Amino acid sequence: MTTKPRPLRIWVPGCASGEEAYTLAIEMSEALAEAGAARKFRIIATDMHRGSLERASAGAYDAQAVANLPPEIVGRYFEKRNNKYVVDPILRQKIIFSAHDVLSDPPFMNLNLISCRNLFIYLQDRPQARVLSMFLFGLRRNGYMFLGPSESLGRFSQEFDTIDSRWRIFQKASEGRVLDHSVMTGKFRARPLHETAVAAPKRPRDRSVASDIADIRSRETLIKGYDALLKRYAPPSILVTGDGSVLGWFGMARLFIDTMNNLTDWTVENIVHHDLHFTINVALEKLRQGQLESYSRKTKVTLTDGEVQTCNVRIEALDQVSRVKVMLVGLELAKEEAPQDSAAAIQPISDEDVSVVTTRIHELERDLRLTEQTLQHVTERLEASGEELQASNEELQASNEELQAANEELQSSNEELHAVNEELVSVSAEHERKIELLSQLNANTEQVLELLGTGVIFLDKQGRIQRFSELVSERFKLETHDIGRTFHVVGPRLEFTALETVIDEVLESGTSQTVSGEHRGQAITVEVHPTKENPDSDTGAVVLVR
């Protein structure tokens, strides 16, 4: 039969908002999964600041906190909710967040690892020694300790072996658990610690430590003496608070207590014998009202073997003033009837007890009726709200249907636009082909005119230049920006004739004219021809220059 390995125990003191604890949990999970080990672990993360513990326990971080983590780690251990990255519940269950003052509270025991990074930088030498002493006390043999990059072990360095000096990883080398004398103060000193009696191996014991151990032993002896006194002299009784909680019981009272079926909720109704409920409830009602005086009652109790016996129940108020009221319920099985004329005679259940319980029942019934009325009112409001929500839901469904119809129309329009766009693309491609053809045709025309040595100017019906060939541009120094102007403004000034006048006459008469002469030392001939009548064309005349 193989022994199941114990879970690893890790302590993270000064955990702040929990990043270090969750990082260790992720590293441990990844390492165990990679090694194929089924060993479990538990991380105890502590801090003395309640607000930090609440944030750490929530396990919700912004995007900046997980920015440096690999995406696969974020996807495996976090879930994004409302712009927050929440730790996976399975990983969260492996961490316990608890309030703990590392300077005064006792250390956790049987630890395999303590991760205490960047805590000592806030402590002076003496508090550092106290904390290190507690760490040494809580670690198992061969347990590990992880410190910050600027922190050291001080005078406890001989108790540890250095595993990695760069990352400040140390392993406990000694088997003993030695507490520093300065640690044994305050509330930590008041607790009995059996393990402090284990001495360091073959080393002279410090006198202060020996005195501390002796002091703890004396306290243990004192506590054992208190237990013996309670067993011998405390009457069989049950200690009950005003709200019906059972604080404890003594002696033979254990016969009337059953915790096997309910180990968590220790109340009169749950663990005390049901035959005692009426008597104790009467006393509880008087205790709540602050009117409880010591008295006794007889009660029939059916024991586990079926035998019915009379039980003398003595009720005594211990504290009716404090916020938490306490009473003592004494129990004793009656052996013989007490004399009726005795001053200490035990009375059976009286009419007064019944009246107290009846009054309480009436109050509870009244409260129950008020609760039922309130519940009925709340139910009616919820039903009305439900009807309103149903109507709103129907309106939303109608709106959703309208939106779906509008969406279908938009999809149809989108398809039509796609078809139109395809047609436009086809037309654009056809235009590009025609433009290329026209450009080629224009280039060919220019080449033919150049070979013929003829320049051409096209004019509109108002005598404005529409376009011209390159030969005319060279001879008459025309530029592209001259298009749209008349010859009266930009036309060449020929020495032998007024060309603008000739153009006006041709446009007016519709008869071609030819003029010749010299211009800048060269003989040129200019022919001006009217264009054929074409209502779709704005061209009025053509000027040929040779």
Side-chain angles (χ1 to χ4, degrees), residues 170-455:
F170 305 95
Q171 185 178 24
K172 182 179 177 181
S174 62
E175 296 184 359
R177 291 174 173 170
V178 181
L179 277 176
D180 188 79
H181 176 66
S182 61
V183 180
M184 302 296 292
T185 58
K187 55 185 176 181
F188 177 54
R189 183 174 185 144
R191 301 190 181 187
L193 301 173
H194 305 282
E195 292 169 287
T196 54
V198 181
K202 297 183 180 181
R203 289 197 310 184
R205 180 183 296 173
D206 189 280
R207 183 174 299 174
S208 62
V209 175
S211 63
D212 291 335
I213 294 174
D215 182 44
I216 292 175
R217 285 175 175 172
S218 66
R219 289 180 183 275
E220 292 178 357
T221 305
L222 185 60
I223 292 173
K224 291 179 180 178
Y226 287 155
D227 292 339
L229 286 173
L230 288 173
K231 289 180 180 179
R232 178 172 298 183
Y233 296 105
S237 53
I238 305 173
L239 196 60
V240 183
T241 63
D243 61 355
S245 299
V246 177
L247 297 180
W249 54 87
F250 310 98
M252 185 202 66
R254 69 180 180 276
L255 299 176
F256 305 96
I257 300 295
D258 179 16
T259 60
M260 295 302 295
N261 297 324
N262 197 323
L263 298 178
T264 57
D265 194 5
W266 282 9
T267 62
V268 173
E269 298 294 332
N270 290 326
I271 67 173
V272 178
H273 197 292
H274 61 87
D275 290 339
L276 300 175
H277 287 178
F278 181 84
T279 304
I280 296 177
N281 287 335
V282 171
L284 283 175
E285 184 60 27
K286 294 181 179 180
L287 180 65
R288 295 188 189 101
Q289 299 174 2
Q291 301 175 357
L292 180 61
E293 297 180 356
S294 299
Y295 67 95
S296 299
R297 291 288 185 270
K298 286 183 179 179
T299 303
K300 297 291 185 179
V301 179
T302 303
L303 301 180
T304 54
D305 56 0
E307 181 183 358
V308 179
Q309 285 199 2
T310 300
C311 181
N312 298 330
V313 182
R314 179 170 178 79
I315 306 297
E316 181 180 355
L318 298 183
D319 188 355
Q320 300 187 76
V321 181
S322 301
R323 183 175 61 86
V324 179
K325 300 178 175 60
V326 182
M327 71 177 185
L328 192 67
V329 181
L331 303 171
E332 181 181 2
L333 294 176
K335 296 181 181 179
E336 59 182 12
E337 295 292 334
Q340 295 296 324
D341 56 350
S342 172
I346 300 174
Q347 300 297 327
I349 295 174
S350 64
D351 294 338
E352 180 186 357
D353 295 344
V354 176
S355 176
V356 170
V357 175
T358 303
T359 303
R360 180 60 177 170
I361 291 174
H362 289 164
E363 292 177 355
L364 292 174
E365 289 177 347
R366 181 194 61 196
D367 295 340
L368 181 59
R369 285 194 297 272
L370 290 175
T371 303
E372 289 177 347
Q373 293 174 1
T374 304
L375 182 59
Q376 179 66 24
H377 179 64
V378 172
T379 302
E380 292 175 355
R381 292 182 60 183
L382 288 175
E383 289 177 352
S385 299
E387 294 176 356
E388 293 176 0
L389 289 174
Q390 180 66 23
S392 300
N393 185 39
E394 293 175 356
E395 293 178 1
L396 289 174
Q397 286 180 348
S399 300
N400 185 39
E401 292 175 357
E402 294 177 0
L403 289 174
Q404 286 180 348
N407 185 39
E408 292 175 357
E409 293 179 0
L410 289 175
Q411 287 179 349
S412 300
S413 301
N414 188 33
E415 292 175 357
E416 293 177 0
L417 288 174
H418 277 299
V420 172
N421 185 46
E422 292 176 356
E423 292 179 1
L424 289 175
V425 170
S426 301
V427 172
S428 177
E430 184 65 25
H431 286 171
E432 288 180 356
R433 287 193 297 271
K434 289 183 178 181
I435 290 172
E436 292 177 357
L437 182 60
L438 288 175
S439 298
Q440 185 178 2
L441 181 60
N442 186 54
N444 294 338
T445 303
E446 288 288 343
Q447 186 177 5
V448 170
L449 291 174
E450 184 178 355
L451 293 175
L452 295 176
T454 303

Side-chain angles (χ1 to χ4, degrees), residues 33-203:
E34 184 177 355
R39 192 167 185 179
K40 298 181 179 180
F41 66 90
R42 179 73 67 183
I43 297 177
I44 306 169
T46 63
D47 200 286
M48 61 184 300
H49 187 251
R50 297 279 181 178
S52 298
L53 286 175
E54 291 177 0
R55 291 193 298 272
S57 181
Y61 299 95
D62 54 22
Q64 185 178 2
V66 299
N68 294 329
L69 293 178
E72 60 273 13
I73 294 296
V74 175
R76 193 176 304 152
Y77 295 101
F78 293 88
E79 180 181 354
K80 191 173 183 181
R81 301 177 189 169
N82 298 328
N83 296 326
K84 291 285 187 179
Y85 288 85
V86 182
V87 177
D88 182 73
I90 297 178
L91 184 70
R92 173 63 183 84
Q93 292 174 1
K94 298 178 181 179
I95 305 176
I96 300 174
F97 291 99
S98 175
H100 183 276
D101 188 351
V102 73
L103 293 176
S104 57
D105 289 336
F108 296 93
M109 303 302 297
N110 299 322
L111 299 168
N112 300 96
L113 170 64
I114 298 176
S115 178
C116 180
R117 293 176 55 78
N118 303 325
L119 176 62
F120 289 165
I121 59 177
Y122 302 104
L123 303 177
Q124 300 294 331
D125 293 342
R126 187 174 180 82
Q128 284 186 19
R130 295 175 61 188
V131 174
L132 279 170
S133 177
M134 287 200 298
F135 289 172
L136 182 64
F137 187 79
L139 278 173
R140 293 178 182 270
R141 167 71 174 174
N142 297 327
Y144 294 89
M145 186 159 59
F146 191 18
L147 299 181
S150 59
E151 298 169 340
S152 62
L153 297 173
R155 63 187 180 89
F156 290 93
S157 58
Q158 71 276 8
E159 304 287 346
F160 293 88
D161 293 332
T162 302
I163 303 301
D164 193 315
S165 58
R166 177 187 176 189
W167 296 107
R168 317 302 293 165
I169 301 176
F170 305 95
Q171 185 178 24
K172 182 179 177 181
S174 62
E175 296 184 359
R177 291 174 173 170
V178 181
L179 277 176
D180 188 79
H181 176 66
S182 61
V183 180
M184 302 296 292
T185 58
K187 55 185 176 181
F188 177 54
R189 183 174 185 144
R191 301 190 181 187
L193 301 173
H194 305 282
E195 292 169 287
T196 54
V198 181
K202 297 183 180 181
R203 289 197 310 184

